[in-house]
Amino acid sequence: MRIAIDAMGGDDAPDVVVAGALEAAREWSDTTIILVGDSARIEPLLQGSKPSNLVVRHAAETIEADDEPVKAVRRKKDASMVVAGRMVKEKEADAMISAGNTGALMTTGLLVVGRIKGIERPALAPMIPTVDGKGVLALDLGANMDSSPEQLLQFAIMGSIYRDKVHGVSKPRVGLLNVGTEAMKGNELTKAAFPLLEKAPIQFIGNVESREVLKAPCDVLVCDGFAGNIMLKSIEGTASVIFSVLKKEFTQSLFTKLAALILKPGLTKFRRSFDYSEHGAAPLLGIDGLLLKSHGSSNALAIKNAVRQARIAVKNDLVGSISKEISNGSEL
């Protein structure tokens, strides 16, 4: 198995990316990790202890966070992200991981790797933490600001396959993000998508309100990228405020500091459940190759966990399974 990692993508690249790649290479000796990027910056970080299953592929250019995605991908042919995408396209790598510009990764997927036949729009599908620790796979959360009912149907099918193949969730429950649980609630998009999802070869449970998401009402949550991204950032913002308030309250006095000490194990576990590094990366589903998007602020653990996800997805032929299902159900 060969996994390419965009070494230059992310807020703290290439340092944390290289550190995560080293950890992954040491843990999974059966996997070749290919660090794609400026070799002059990568090699010194390997400190002469490079495992035999870790290699460096030089790429002279870098796509920056503020680059316009389409222009950057088209003009920077030797950018680390583009080179990694081309490796997936040309079967030099079984998957690629990047913590770089999300729009550029989406563009790389579309222009360099290409879509799965029958898929109208790829979808970004991160995990949202839930109280039971199992999480909800939500898509789309930002790759597409506007979607059609048919595209939401495809998101549901792809999300169901991902949860089955990567997370081992048999017959995952699929919910449609909405403002109410009644079948006819919502805007024109959700009203039109509801009957399509009912007829689809998935376990559709109906509409799900955003206030219920953290309680794990479903395994897969379907929505358009605009509503989904707002929901995600609302959850992230709320979690951040909660942790800040708790920290302030628990440092008010000796008594509260003692209380914090007693509660620390539980609070640490709670905080970890909202830590993106524990979940690794979000797959870009619908691309004819395995692309994973890590958080821009990814640390070494997040990169290592992204490799873990990629390994499972490759072993279970995620892309092939989606392609087969979409082909078989194209009449839907």
Side-chain angles (χ1 to χ4, degrees):
M1 192 183 302
R2 301 153 301 171
I3 298 174
I5 303 178
D6 171 14
M8 313 310 292
D11 298 345
D12 299 307
D15 302 62
V16 298
V17 180
V18 172
L22 279 169
E23 289 182 23
R26 288 166 182 152
E27 177 149 348
W28 299 294
S29 58
D30 62 341
T31 300
T32 297
I33 307 296
I34 308 165
L35 281 169
V36 184
D38 185 353
S39 58
R41 295 181 62 189
I42 295 171
E43 292 288 356
L45 299 172
L46 297 174
Q47 300 174 342
S49 58
K50 184 170 66 174
S52 60
N53 61 324
L54 189 149
V55 298
V56 177
R57 172 75 172 266
H58 180 66
E61 297 177 290
T62 301
I63 293 179
E64 307 295 343
D66 56 355
D67 278 349
E68 198 285 315
V70 176
K71 289 182 179 178
V73 171
R74 285 178 171 167
R75 295 176 181 176
K76 295 184 176 182
K77 301 294 185 182
D78 199 32
S80 54
M81 184 187 293
V82 176
V83 172
R86 198 157 54 239
M87 291 175 69
V88 172
K89 173 68 174 178
E90 297 172 358
K91 309 301 181 185
E92 293 182 59
D94 300 297
M96 74 162 283
I97 298 165
S98 178
N101 185 313
T102 302
L105 183 63
M106 174 74 164
T107 304
T108 297
L110 289 170
L111 299 185
V112 179
V113 184
R115 288 175 294 178
I116 291 174
K117 186 177 180 181
I119 293 292
E120 293 184 24
R121 297 272 186 89
L124 190 64
M127 289 293 294
I128 294 178
T130 55
V131 291
D132 63 0
K134 296 179 180 179
V136 171
L137 183 79
L139 68 167
D140 173 39
L141 292 199
N144 309 281
M145 290 299 103
D146 296 294
S147 299
S148 69
E150 291 75 20
Q151 288 160 7
L152 293 189
L153 169 61
Q154 292 187 343
F155 295 168
I157 293 171
M158 292 192 294
S160 294
I161 295 172
Y162 184 83
R163 290 238 66 176
D164 179 22
K165 296 292 184 180
V166 177
H167 298 148
V169 180
S170 179
K171 296 181 179 179
R173 301 161 299 156
V174 179
L176 176 64
L177 183 65
N178 212 327
V179 295
T181 57
E182 298 86 354
M184 291 310 295
K185 277 288 183 79
N187 56 16
E188 294 304 314
L189 173 62
T190 56
K191 289 177 184 177
F194 194 97
L196 296 181
L197 295 173
E198 281 187 308
K199 298 175 184 177
I202 56 174
Q203 189 175 343
F204 180 55
I205 64 165
N207 292 327
V208 171
E209 295 184 59
S210 58
R211 65 181 177 181
E212 302 296 323
V213 172
L214 299 184
K215 299 176 184 178
C218 57
D219 302 301
V220 178
L221 183 66
V222 177
C223 53
D224 64 272
F226 184 76
N229 197 264
I230 290 175
M231 176 191 67
L232 177 64
K233 288 177 179 174
S234 295
I235 292 173
E236 289 178 337
T238 301
S240 177
V241 169
I242 290 173
F243 294 136
S244 295
V245 171
L246 285 175
K247 183 177 181 180
K248 180 180 179 181
E249 291 299 321
F250 280 129
T251 56
Q252 290 290 327
S253 65
L254 178 61
F255 178 77
T256 57
K257 288 178 181 178
L258 289 172
L261 188 63
I262 296 171
L263 294 171
K264 186 177 180 180
L267 291 173
T268 300
K269 183 179 179 181
F270 176 60
R271 187 182 186 94
R272 284 185 65 184
S273 69
F274 283 88
D275 187 354
Y276 63 84
S277 64
E278 297 292 332
H279 301 287
L284 190 57
L285 301 178
I287 297 298
D288 195 19
L290 186 58
L291 275 65
L292 293 168
K293 173 65 176 74
S294 290
H295 198 287
S297 301
S298 286
N299 55 21
L301 176 62
I303 298 299
K304 179 183 176 182
N305 281 333
V307 173
R308 185 193 306 277
Q309 282 178 267
R311 282 171 44 83
I312 296 171
V314 171
K315 284 184 177 180
N316 289 288
D317 190 25
L318 173 66
V319 175
S321 298
I322 292 175
S323 181
K324 182 178 179 181
E325 186 65 34
I326 293 297
S327 177
N328 290 341
S330 58
E331 70 276 5
L332 295 172

